[in-house]
């Protein structure tokens, strides 16, 4: 909880905001279609689910996508961490 907020959009991006003053401080790009869901991982990275059929893992502090998970044949609407902390 450092005062930042992440938002997912139909414009294919994730924005990181300074919650207190409402300023967008970073835009994460890499998906090719709308984003539907975000999840903060226990290690501080961010996972995003998209209509482009992929999940991306982000080091959102740097704005870098570090992994893309592929395998679905249609849009992803939701993702959830497993009880042991795995995605």
């Amino acid at each position: 909880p450092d005062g930042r907020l992440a938002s997912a959009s139909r414009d294919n991006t994730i924005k990181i905001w300074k919650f207190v003053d409402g300023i967008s401080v970073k835009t994460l790009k890499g998906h090719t279609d709308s984003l539907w869901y975000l999840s903060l991982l226990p290690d501080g990275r961010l996972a995003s689910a998209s209509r482009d059929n992929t999940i991306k893992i982000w080091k959102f502090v740097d704005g870098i996508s570090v992994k893309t998970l592929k395998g679905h044949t249609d849009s992803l609407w939701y993702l959830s961490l497993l009880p042991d902390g795995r995605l």
Side-chain angles (χ1 to χ4, degrees):
D2 63 0
R4 290 181 292 171
L5 176 73
S7 61
S9 175
R10 287 183 64 186
D11 69 3
N12 310 349
T13 68
I14 298 165
K15 288 206 179 278
I16 308 299
W17 304 84
K18 287 176 72 176
F19 184 72
V20 175
D21 54 15
I23 295 173
S24 172
V25 294
K26 191 174 304 273
T27 300
L28 285 60
K29 297 179 181 180
H31 282 289
T32 59
D33 209 333
S34 303
L35 287 107
W36 297 108
Y37 196 82
L38 298 175
S39 181
L40 185 62
L41 303 177
D43 64 6
R45 293 180 299 168
L46 188 67
S48 57
S50 173
R51 190 174 168 186
D52 69 7
N53 310 347
T54 67
I55 296 168
K56 288 191 178 287
I57 310 299
W58 304 85
K59 286 177 63 177
F60 71 90
V61 172
D62 302 326
I64 298 168
S65 171
V66 295
K67 185 180 283 190
T68 300
L69 306 174
K70 298 178 182 181
H72 286 280
T73 59
D74 206 344
S75 301
L76 288 141
W77 292 87
Y78 191 79
L79 56 89
S80 182
L81 289 176
L82 300 174
D84 64 2
R86 294 179 300 144
L87 184 64

